[in-house]
Amino acid sequence: KVLGAGAYGSVMLEKDGNAVKRGNIGYDEASIIDKVGKADLGPKLYAADLDGLGLQPGTAKGRVAMSVVPGTMIGNKPGDKKIGKSDKVIADAYWEARAKLHRMGIAHNDMHIENVFVDRKGNGRFVDMGLAQDSPKAALAEAMGIFGKAPSGTGKGTKQAGRKGD
């Protein structure tokens, strides 16, 4: 079953319940998945294998095995939608997880509504670390950029936080 696909590769759900990304893997992607997974902000890294030059600079052909992130993508759910039986809402989970990621020095660089998941307890997590950077400067720039001018047609905020109809 395909869990996701994009310019860099596809992520498949394997029979054992884990996920495997195949395609172009960023040179630092596996180490970032490992760091983010250990902080419970994304998938847990199981293994990675790089073999040959990727199609884009900074990538290699390969695969990454990881856990499946619990929860569901925030998608077009309203930010004030309650999560489970708690008082927490979708927007709270998003901003809390985003702040934790940036405090770790990680810039996701593709934090759109399909790459942010929230579980029943209100914990936010991220998927798709293909464009992520392990850089405090990049994390700060991403955190501050949320208040910048929106690209045409994306709604409020940056491309990552904006969505049509906001």
Side-chain angles (χ1 to χ4, degrees), residues 10-104:
S10 59
V11 180
M12 305 292 286
L13 179 64
E14 300 295 316
K15 291 178 183 177
D16 62 5
N18 294 310
V20 176
K21 176 183 177 183
R22 290 177 179 84
N24 290 309
I25 309 297
Y27 291 148
D28 298 325
E29 188 171 348
S31 65
I32 292 171
I33 290 170
D34 189 43
K35 186 175 181 178
V36 171
K38 287 178 178 172
D40 197 24
L41 289 172
K44 310 263 187 280
L45 177 72
Y46 296 140
D49 177 42
L50 302 180
D51 183 28
L53 293 175
L55 298 174
Q56 290 85 10
T59 68
K61 291 180 184 176
R63 57 191 170 194
V64 177
M66 62 196 120
S67 65
V68 173
V69 172
T72 58
M73 70 176 73
I74 63 171
N76 287 318
K77 295 178 184 116
D80 61 353
K81 180 179 174 160
K82 294 222 182 234
I83 300 168
K85 295 179 182 178
S86 72
D87 289 331
K88 196 181 256 190
V89 296
I90 297 286
D92 292 340
Y94 170 80
W95 286 107
E96 287 172 15
R98 184 180 170 95
K100 288 176 185 176
L101 190 72
H102 290 150
R103 286 184 189 116
M104 290 174 57

Side-chain angles (χ1 to χ4, degrees), residues 86-159:
S86 72
D87 289 331
K88 196 181 256 190
V89 296
I90 297 286
D92 292 340
Y94 170 80
W95 286 107
E96 287 172 15
R98 184 180 170 95
K100 288 176 185 176
L101 190 72
H102 290 150
R103 286 184 189 116
M104 290 174 57
I106 302 289
H108 188 279
N109 294 320
D110 198 18
M111 201 180 292
H112 58 74
I113 59 178
E114 294 176 356
N115 284 343
V116 183
F117 281 58
V118 176
D119 68 17
R120 292 179 187 197
K121 295 179 182 178
N123 298 309
R125 292 183 185 86
F126 303 95
V127 298
D128 192 359
M129 303 297 165
L131 299 175
Q133 294 172 276
D134 190 351
S135 162
K137 287 181 182 179
L140 178 60
E142 182 175 68
M144 298 302 286
I146 190 68
F147 298 107
K149 184 178 177 187
S152 177
T154 62
K156 299 175 185 173
T158 66
K159 176 183 177 213

